[in-house]
């Protein structure tokens, strides 16, 4: 089947053949006659024998034949004997060409050719050769201005005597720049028929987005059994498209889904995906014995939309919703999706007019601890009004105002039991700020804020002093002042030259102290305040002093050593906070981001050490350590690193550990790593990644993906192993998965909805292309 460039070239050739012919060869525009040319004239019939050559005015397109017969009355031109057409990107050879200069209708007989596929295809499939395609047809007819009919033809991108693959069909009707309808089409691999389609619609739009079927992928797993994933892509127009998915799991049933994408203008676009899975009953045998899972019906909905509205408004929406957390984890193959235990719905409308802004948001997030135990929280709705900070006259004083009304949703579920702690909260917050930044090495930023909050419900405190309580319909108000000063500096720096250093020409060391002094005035009934969001935990009647120091090392790179001439290659920071009331240390989310619950009150927060070493764009190491001086040990440690060697190797890894004061014997302890490699020209490549739970001594997941791109085709395979220790209700505690997909040069493959090969959705295919 000819490709898009091929069909365009055929049209150019047939139009080129329509050049006028005069009685004498020297008067024929575009003709170049060789010395061996012989001319025979019989009335209105002319015959050119020898090396007939026809060239366009630019000299880039040429036509050759051993014999050309032309009748000035019928306007019919017939070329025979070594008929050849050439251009910078295409070559076509045929035994015979018949063309009518009046009707512009013509026929090629036994035509073969090759054409350049362009620069947008993945050239790694073609090895050291150019990305060309071969095509042929016993008869190629031009039956309309842009319509061609090809009889008994074929197409392949394998430029070799025995193609690794080819598409052959009995007849094809081609409409240039639009579509091709192929009948009785067979895909052959090494000459062996693989599958047959009675009718195939083949898109040939020139905008690189085309309607059609995507190449299928094949897989197998313990839970799902052997599977086949198919997809159909519909390019509705340049700014919107849709994809329909179908998955057949021999052991668990079938799934269907759809994705719709659109771009409605600058700032207005969306992506909506749905998936419906009908599971059938299945029996498994594992270390836990024989387990039967019942038949079920589940679904997923994902959406991300943004829309510009009149009157300066803008709307946004995000949905990540599923009906079963167990099904989501066991069927999804993307690590992020299978490990995610939250479903969320969020919609927002906001507007800005000068310094004023308003926002209306509906958002809920439900976190699952098991398939029957969850906690839902959010704002239903959340309304806010803000006045951006403005200067008061010519004074160095700025003022701002924020207000919010929110219906906080909080529903905790444990099996059939449900606790609803939802309530309404109203808050206003005017602020006055006075900055001082006259000195480059020292800055002050002081502010005073007033907070007034009203809750329509309050808590009956628990007798044991624990957080939370029993909600009661008794309104409660809270008001306090927040006085704060942030100081940066005085900064100290030193610069020195290193003319013999290969990394940088100059180095700079900057020492930057930071101080924050904050006073929160006291308020009553702290134990009765509903604590549902971070703002509710504010503890009054205390002074907090945060202090730290940052060391920053900067290098001025040598020309050509890096894309950025100036680079902060090492940053080390040390911070700690002091509280006048030790109880306040339990509610400082900045100092205790991971595990403040259960810690004994203290006048000091843990000491935080943060460091980042990034000598280049491709290499970096970051770490954060929280040292609890009271316990004499690290409370949490996080280390992450990346390394890339040229264009063929990438390595990423990380280790994290955090200890909870209420259960120090069971710390969270994880290690993860991934590495990707590719050979020059992307001929061979792969990825290996894993996530290991050191605390449980369990490999949560590991994934191996490898691909090989041979000339004109390729193969990609994937092996996954998942363990589900966080859910005791899983029928099978471990799943092993295998996926395989094939790629054809210039045509591609796709990832199914469930994330095979590390993707989220299909992106390209055999007879379609999804790229915007």
């Amino acid at each position: 089947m000819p490709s898009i460039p091929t069909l365009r070239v055929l049209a150019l050739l047939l139009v080129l053949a329509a050049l006028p012919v005069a009685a004498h060869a020297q008067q024929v525009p575009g003709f170049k006659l060789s010395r061996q040319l012989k001319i025979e004239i019989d009335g209105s019939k002319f015959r050119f024998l020898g090396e007939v050559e026809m060239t366009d005015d630019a000299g880039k397109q040429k036509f050759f034949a051993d014999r050309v017969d032309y009748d000035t009355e019928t306007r019919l031109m017939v070329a025979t004997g070594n008929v050849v057409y050439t251009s910078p990107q295409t070559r076509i050879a045929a035994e015979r060409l018949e063309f009518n200069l009046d009707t512009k209708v013509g026929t090629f007989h036994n035509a073969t050719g090759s054409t350049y596929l362009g620069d947008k295809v993945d050239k790694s499939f073609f090895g050291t050769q150019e990305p060309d395609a071969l095509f042929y047809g016993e008869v190629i007819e031009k039956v309309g201005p842009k319509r061609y009919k090809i009889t008994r033809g074929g197409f392949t991108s394998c430029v070799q005597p025995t193609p690794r693959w080819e598409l052959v069909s009995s007849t094809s009707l081609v409409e240039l720049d639009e579509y091709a309808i192929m009948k009785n089409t067979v895909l052959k691999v090494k000459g062996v028929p693989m599958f047959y389609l009675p009718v195939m619609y083949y898109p040939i739009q020139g905008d690189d987005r085309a309607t059609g079927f995507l190449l299928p992928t094949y897989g197998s797993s313990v839970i799902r059994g052997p599977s086949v994933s198919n997809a159909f892509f519909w390019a509705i127009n340049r700014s919107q498209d849709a994809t329909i998915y179908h998955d057949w799991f021999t052991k668990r049933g079938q799934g269907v889904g759809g994705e719709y994408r659109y771009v409605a203008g600058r700032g207005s676009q969306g992506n909506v995906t749905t998936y419906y899975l009908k599971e059938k009953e299945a029996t498994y045998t594992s270390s836990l014995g024989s387990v039967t899972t019942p038949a079920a019906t589940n679904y997923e909905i994902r959406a991300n939309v943004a829309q510009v509205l009149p009157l300066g408004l803008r709307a946004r929406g995000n949905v990540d919703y599923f009906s079963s957390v167990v099904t989501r984890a066991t069927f999804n193959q993307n690590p992020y999706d299978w490990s995610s235990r939250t479903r969320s719905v969020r919609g927002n409308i906001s507007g800005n007019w000068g310094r004023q802004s308003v926002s209306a948001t509906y958002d809920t997030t439900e976190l699952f601890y098991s398939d029957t135990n969850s906690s839902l929280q959010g704002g239903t709705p959340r309304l806010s009004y803000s006045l951006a900070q403005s200067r008061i006259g010519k004074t160095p004083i700025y003022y701002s105002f924020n207000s919010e009304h929110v219906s906080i949703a909080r529903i905790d579920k444990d099996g059939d039991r449900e606790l609803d702690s939802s309530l309404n909260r109203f808050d206003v917050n005017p602020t006055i700020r006075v900055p001082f930044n006259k000195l480059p090495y020292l800055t002050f930023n002081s502010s005073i804020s007033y907070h007034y909050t009203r809750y329509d419900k309050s808590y009956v405190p628990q007798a044991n002093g624990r957080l939370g309580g029993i909600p009661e319909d008794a309104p409660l108000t809270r008001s306090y002042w927040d006085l704060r000063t942030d100081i940066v500096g005085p900064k100290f720096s030193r610069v020195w030259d290193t003319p013999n250093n290969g990394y940088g020409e100059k180095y700079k060391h900057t020492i930057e102290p930071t101080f924050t002094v904050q006073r929160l005035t006291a308020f009553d009934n702290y134990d009765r305040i509903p604590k549902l969001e971070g703002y509710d935990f504010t503890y009054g009647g205390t002074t907090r002093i945060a202090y730290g120091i940052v060391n920053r090392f900067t290098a001025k790179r040598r020309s050509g050593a890096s894309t950025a001439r100036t680079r902060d290659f090492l940053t080390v920071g040390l911070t700690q906070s002091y509280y006048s009331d030790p109880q306040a240390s339990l509610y400082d989310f900045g100092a205790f981001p991971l595990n403040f619950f259960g810690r004994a009150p203290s006048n000091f927060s843990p000491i935080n050490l943060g460091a980042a070493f990034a000598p280049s764009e491709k290499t970096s190491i970051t770490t954060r350590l929280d040292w609890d001086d009271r316990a004499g040990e690290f409370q949490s440690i996080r280390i992450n690193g990346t390394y890339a060697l040229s264009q063929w190797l990438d390595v990423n890894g990380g280790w994290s550990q955090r200890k909870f004061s209420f259960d120090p014997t069971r710390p969270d302890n994880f290690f993860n790593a991934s590495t990707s490699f590719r050979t020059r020209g992307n001929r061979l490549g792969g990825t290996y990644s894993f996530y290991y739970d050191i605390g449980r001594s369990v490999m949560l997941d590991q994934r191996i993906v490898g691909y090989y791109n041979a000339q004109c085709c390729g193969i990609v395979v994937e092996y996954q192993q998942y363990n589900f220790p966080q859910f005791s209700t899983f029928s099978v505690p471990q799943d092993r998965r295998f996926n395989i997909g094939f790629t054809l040069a210039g045509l591609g493959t796709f990832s199914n909805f469930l994330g095979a090969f590390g993707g989220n959705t299909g992106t390209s295919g055999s007879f379609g292309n999804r790229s915007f």
Side-chain angles (χ1 to χ4, degrees):
M1 182 65 224
S3 66
I4 298 171
T6 301
L7 296 170
R8 290 174 175 165
V9 165
L10 290 176
L12 289 173
L13 169 60
L14 295 176
V15 171
L16 184 61
L19 292 171
V21 180
H24 195 278
Q26 302 300 329
Q27 299 175 354
V28 179
F31 267 110
K32 289 185 178 181
L33 307 180
S34 68
R35 296 177 182 177
Q36 293 80 18
L37 184 67
K38 180 180 178 182
I39 304 175
E40 297 178 359
I41 303 175
D42 183 9
S44 63
K45 296 181 175 61
F46 289 79
R47 175 172 294 172
F48 301 93
L49 300 172
E51 298 178 1
V52 182
E53 178 180 342
M54 182 184 295
T55 307
D56 69 346
D57 293 336
K60 294 183 178 180
Q61 302 183 73
K62 298 181 180 181
F63 172 72
F64 304 88
D66 293 339
R67 170 177 167 176
V68 175
D69 292 294
Y70 174 68
D71 192 326
T72 58
E73 293 182 355
T74 62
R75 300 278 288 172
L76 177 66
M77 184 181 72
V78 179
T80 57
N82 296 316
V83 179
V84 176
Y85 166 81
T86 64
S87 75
Q89 296 183 340
T90 303
R91 184 182 187 279
I92 302 174
E95 291 183 358
R96 180 183 177 89
L97 168 63
E98 300 170 357
F99 193 81
N100 189 291
L101 275 66
D102 287 333
T103 62
K104 303 298 187 294
V105 173
T107 304
F108 286 92
H109 296 273
N110 294 325
T112 61
S114 64
T115 186
Y116 183 70
L117 290 176
D119 296 327
K120 293 185 178 181
V121 299
D122 188 348
K123 294 186 178 181
S124 62
F125 288 95
F126 299 90
T128 58
Q129 300 184 13
E130 290 295 322
D132 292 333
L134 298 178
F135 63 92
Y136 60 89
E138 291 188 12
V139 179
I140 301 178
E141 303 173 74
K142 184 177 186 294
V143 296
K146 297 176 61 178
R147 180 168 296 186
Y148 295 84
K149 181 180 180 182
I150 302 175
T151 304
R152 292 181 292 278
F155 165 75
T156 181
S157 59
C158 290
V159 185
Q160 53 190 234
T162 304
R164 288 187 171 90
W165 68 269
E166 63 177 337
L167 289 170
V168 298
S169 61
S170 60
T171 59
S172 301
L173 186 63
V174 179
E175 188 74 21
L176 287 182
D177 298 325
E178 293 188 22
Y179 62 85
I181 300 177
M182 307 172 66
K183 297 182 179 179
N184 299 315
T185 303
V186 177
L187 172 64
K188 291 184 177 181
V189 178
K190 280 292 187 179
V192 179
M194 296 298 293
F195 70 83
Y196 165 82
L197 289 175
V199 179
M200 177 183 292
Y201 179 89
Y202 182 81
I204 55 174
Q205 288 96 326
D207 59 0
D208 300 312
R209 296 178 64 253
T211 300
F213 288 95
L214 306 179
L215 274 177
T217 60
Y218 308 91
S220 178
S221 79
V222 173
I223 294 177
R224 300 173 300 163
S227 61
V228 180
S229 300
N230 296 280
F232 178 81
F233 175 68
W234 178 23
I236 302 172
N237 54 43
R238 186 57 189 167
S239 59
Q240 57 180 331
D241 58 45
T243 307
I244 300 173
Y245 302 94
H246 175 260
D247 296 301
W248 177 43
F249 309 112
T250 58
K251 198 168 186 176
R252 291 301 297 269
Q254 299 188 61
V256 294
E259 179 182 17
Y260 172 72
R261 307 186 303 175
Y262 74 92
V263 176
R266 185 178 180 85
S268 298
Q269 62 274 329
N271 187 320
V272 180
T273 305
T274 62
Y275 192 77
Y276 173 86
L277 180 63
K278 187 174 179 61
E279 302 177 60
K280 63 182 182 181
E281 184 180 281
T283 301
Y284 301 95
T285 302
S286 67
S287 58
L288 302 177
S290 180
V291 180
T292 299
T293 60
T297 299
N298 290 291
Y299 63 89
E300 283 193 39
I301 301 175
R302 304 174 190 172
N304 190 347
V305 298
Q307 184 67 41
V308 176
L309 302 175
L311 303 177
L313 297 173
R314 182 182 179 88
R316 299 178 181 86
N318 304 92
V319 177
D320 186 2
Y321 195 88
F322 49 84
S323 58
S324 170
V325 66
V326 175
T327 299
R328 179 184 178 95
T330 53
F331 277 82
N332 273 286
Q333 301 176 66
N334 182 286
Y336 173 81
D337 290 330
W338 83 259
S339 61
S340 173
R341 294 179 291 153
T342 60
R343 61 185 185 187
S344 59
V345 177
R346 186 177 189 275
N348 169 264
I349 297 179
S350 60
N352 295 277
W353 301 275
R355 295 188 297 107
Q356 302 184 74
S357 62
V358 296
S359 176
T361 303
Y362 176 94
D363 67 281
T364 61
T365 300
E366 186 172 6
L367 172 63
F368 285 85
Y369 307 104
S370 70
D371 57 336
T372 59
N373 190 346
S374 67
S375 177
L376 181 145
Q377 188 166 331
T380 57
R382 188 183 303 268
L383 309 175
S384 65
Y385 169 80
S386 300
L387 184 65
Q389 66 175 11
S390 300
R391 190 171 181 175
I392 302 177
K394 296 183 178 181
T395 67
I397 303 175
Y398 296 80
Y399 70 93
S400 62
F401 178 81
N402 295 282
S403 63
E404 180 186 72
H405 177 274
V406 56
S407 296
I408 302 178
R410 178 63 184 265
I411 302 175
D412 296 299
K413 299 179 182 179
D414 186 2
D416 297 332
R417 294 183 301 173
E418 182 176 298
L419 175 63
D420 190 344
S421 304
S422 303
L423 53 84
N424 293 313
R425 185 187 71 198
F426 175 72
D427 182 77
V428 294
N429 172 216
T431 301
I432 293 178
R433 186 177 69 91
V434 182
F436 175 80
N437 52 10
K438 301 293 185 180
L439 302 175
Y441 55 87
L442 182 65
T443 60
F444 290 82
N445 195 346
S446 299
S447 64
I448 178 171
S449 299
Y450 175 73
H451 289 268
Y452 173 83
T453 309
R454 177 178 174 80
Y455 300 89
D456 70 344
K457 294 181 180 180
S458 58
Y459 278 174
V460 176
Q462 297 191 49
N464 56 8
R466 297 176 60 188
L467 290 176
I470 302 174
E472 64 174 354
D473 294 330
L476 178 68
T477 60
R478 177 189 67 176
S479 61
Y480 65 91
W481 292 88
D482 182 354
L483 297 86
R484 178 181 180 127
T485 296
D486 296 300
I487 305 172
V488 178
K491 299 180 183 179
F492 304 93
S493 62
R494 180 188 176 187
V495 178
W496 63 93
D497 297 328
T498 55
N500 298 323
N501 185 275
Y503 182 77
E505 299 174 354
K506 293 183 178 182
Y507 288 90
K508 180 180 180 181
H509 177 206
T510 303
I511 300 176
E512 185 178 280
T514 60
F515 301 91
T516 297
V517 181
Q518 182 182 30
R519 174 65 186 179
L520 300 175
T521 60
F523 50 85
D524 298 328
N525 300 318
Y526 182 78
D527 292 339
R528 296 184 61 231
I529 295 175
K531 298 173 182 61
L532 302 180
E533 297 181 337
Y535 172 68
D536 302 324
F537 288 89
T538 302
Y539 192 85
T542 183
T543 299
R544 181 177 71 94
I545 302 176
Y547 42 88
I549 187 170
V550 177
N551 284 267
R552 185 174 292 107
F553 296 86
T554 306
K556 183 178 181 181
R557 302 296 306 276
R558 296 191 178 278
S559 179
S562 173
T563 56
R565 289 297 306 277
T566 303
R567 184 172 190 84
D568 293 336
F569 66 92
L570 178 61
T571 303
V572 181
L574 194 67
T575 59
Q576 190 182 32
S577 295
Y578 166 81
Y579 311 91
S580 61
D581 186 340
Q583 196 72 19
S585 66
L586 303 181
Y587 310 108
D588 189 346
F589 285 86
F592 299 88
L594 299 174
N595 47 348
F596 68 93
F597 287 114
R599 185 177 186 268
S602 173
N603 289 107
F604 294 92
S605 73
I607 300 173
N608 169 250
L609 172 65
F613 177 63
S616 68
E617 290 83 357
K618 300 178 180 180
T619 303
S620 65
I621 299 175
T622 60
T623 182
R624 171 172 173 145
L625 302 91
D626 294 301
W627 173 266
D628 190 343
D629 58 338
R630 298 185 62 184
E633 61 181 7
F634 286 110
Q635 196 172 35
S636 65
I637 302 174
R638 287 181 294 172
I639 300 176
N640 295 280
T642 62
Y643 174 74
L645 180 60
S646 185
Q647 299 295 324
W648 66 276
L649 179 65
D650 294 283
V651 180
N652 298 273
W655 173 57
S656 64
Q657 175 181 291
R658 56 178 178 174
K659 294 183 179 180
F660 296 93
S661 300
F662 55 83
D663 190 5
T665 62
R666 295 188 60 187
D668 277 353
N669 198 347
F670 297 97
F671 179 70
N672 67 282
S674 67
T675 180
S676 300
F677 78 94
R678 65 201 66 84
T679 59
R680 179 171 296 180
N682 203 30
R683 193 78 180 272
L684 177 68
T687 299
Y688 174 70
S689 62
F690 68 87
Y691 200 88
Y692 186 74
D693 187 339
I694 301 176
R696 297 188 180 98
S697 298
V698 173
M699 181 72 76
L700 293 181
D701 73 75
Q702 60 178 333
R703 173 187 295 250
I704 303 174
V705 179
Y707 63 86
Y708 174 70
N709 296 332
Q711 183 180 342
C712 74
C713 60
I715 184 173
V716 55
V717 295
E718 176 184 41
Y719 173 78
Q720 305 170 0
Q721 179 180 330
Y722 290 156
N723 291 281
F724 310 104
Q726 70 270 43
F727 294 110
S728 59
T729 55
F730 276 28
S731 302
V732 181
Q734 184 185 84
D735 191 15
R736 295 182 299 275
R737 304 167 179 175
F738 178 78
N739 297 303
I740 183 170
F742 300 94
T743 52
L744 303 181
L747 303 182
T749 185
F750 89 109
S751 169
N752 62 10
F753 173 85
L754 299 172
F757 311 117
N760 288 315
T761 57
T763 55
S764 64
S766 57
F767 308 117
N769 192 313
R770 288 169 36 93
S771 301
F772 266 119

